[in-house]
Amino acid sequence: ERSRRRALLALLLLVPAPSLGAWWALYLSPGPAGHVVFAFMKVWVIALPAVWTVLVDRDRLRVPPLRRAGFGAALAFSAVAGAAILGFYFLVGRRVVDLGPFRETVTAAGLTSPARYLGALLYWTLVNSLLEEYVWRWFVVTRLIVLVRRSVAVLLSALFFTAHHAVATVAIDIRSADQVSSRRSVRDTCFAISATPCSFRASGSLLLAFSIQRGRSSCATTGTVPRHHRLRPDTCGSGGHPAEVRSRRR
């Protein structure tokens, strides 16, 4: 019972921290104060697992042994995923996806030269991904295993990780809109979250399902396609998702 309480406390102290930092910096206080809060939460998330392991669990930090089979599986999955993304973009994406918001995001982040983009790519690949494994796939999963079955622990860790990115995305969305659109964005997002399980069953991807429902809910409430969800001219102008419009026309 004591180990379960400690595991739950560790999760409560860590899981909300990155989302709070992102929400504060991107929406509540997008300035020096927000940057301080964001940096503090970043340090907190990185330091807490190590400090907790040594001082609370009275254990030693260990580097797991590297297995060649694990590298092979990771490289194979990355190759397949990369090929699928590039294939979708060149076959379909260039015709249906509005690239304007992506260019604006890259420009705002300062990634306007090949050298800067390569540096950011190396950071995300070699540093940030390892930190994600350290926090979410090691510390969070091992604490969840104390509370639930291993398979459920893996699923919950993935959901927590997805929720953090959803919070950051919504914060950016609200900040970039005016006051009326901000209230509408919150309402649309609530609708999207409630309707996501239906699209999840159809798409097999939690992030894709959430994105689909965000686009549909915005169509339903505004009658227009938000710039970052624009797929085709007839997506909302005809009164709904293209598949739904075709179904009604029949």
Side-chain angles (χ1 to χ4, degrees), residues 88-89 92-100 102 230-232:
F88 174 82
Y89 173 72
V92 181
R94 289 187 294 182
R95 296 196 301 270
V96 300
V97 176
D98 181 10
L99 296 180
F102 294 97
R230 192 172 298 151
L231 296 178
R232 291 202 294 265

Side-chain angles (χ1 to χ4, degrees), residues 112-125:
T112 53
S113 69
R116 290 184 178 182
Y117 188 84
L118 179 60
L121 179 65
L122 291 175
Y123 168 78
W124 288 324
T125 303

Side-chain angles (χ1 to χ4, degrees), residues 189-218:
T189 301
C190 292
F191 172 82
I193 293 173
S194 65
T196 291
C198 298
S199 286
F200 174 67
R201 268 179 267 168
S203 66
S205 168
L206 188 63
L207 283 173
L208 177 59
F210 183 83
S211 177
I212 290 171
Q213 291 303 334
R214 280 285 287 125
R216 288 182 178 177
S217 61
S218 297

Side-chain angles (χ1 to χ4, degrees), residues 121-241:
L121 179 65
L122 291 175
Y123 168 78
W124 288 324
T125 303
L126 302 178
V127 178
N128 193 69
S129 59
L130 289 178
L131 292 177
E132 290 176 356
E133 295 295 318
Y134 158 75
V135 173
W136 296 98
R137 261 70 73 181
W138 169 60
F139 189 75
V140 172
V141 169
T142 52
R143 270 62 198 171
L144 284 169
I145 287 175
V146 178
L147 303 172
V148 296
R149 297 195 309 271
R150 181 181 296 270
S151 58
V152 178
V154 172
L155 176 61
L156 288 177
S157 174
L159 290 175
F160 292 156
F161 186 65
T162 301
H164 161 58
H165 288 82
V167 168
T169 301
V170 172
I172 296 173
D173 191 18
I174 294 177
R175 180 187 170 189
S176 64
D178 57 33
Q179 187 174 4
V180 175
S181 296
S182 296
R183 291 195 296 266
R184 183 176 292 149
S185 177
V186 174
R187 180 181 59 193
D188 294 349
T189 301
C190 292
F191 172 82
I193 293 173
S194 65
T196 291
C198 298
S199 286
F200 174 67
R201 268 179 267 168
S203 66
S205 168
L206 188 63
L207 283 173
L208 177 59
F210 183 83
S211 177
I212 290 171
Q213 291 303 334
R214 280 285 287 125
R216 288 182 178 177
S217 61
S218 297
C219 294
T221 57
T222 67
T224 58
V225 185
R227 195 172 180 186
H228 52 290
H229 289 295
R230 192 172 298 151
L231 296 178
R232 291 202 294 265
D234 63 339
T235 300
C236 294
S238 303
H241 192 270

Side-chain angles (χ1 to χ4, degrees), residues 17 20-42 175:
L20 290 174
W23 187 265
W24 200 287
L26 295 172
Y27 177 64
L28 292 181
S29 181
H35 294 159
V36 170
V37 173
F38 180 82
F40 174 80
M41 290 300 182
K42 201 76 172 177
R175 180 187 170 189

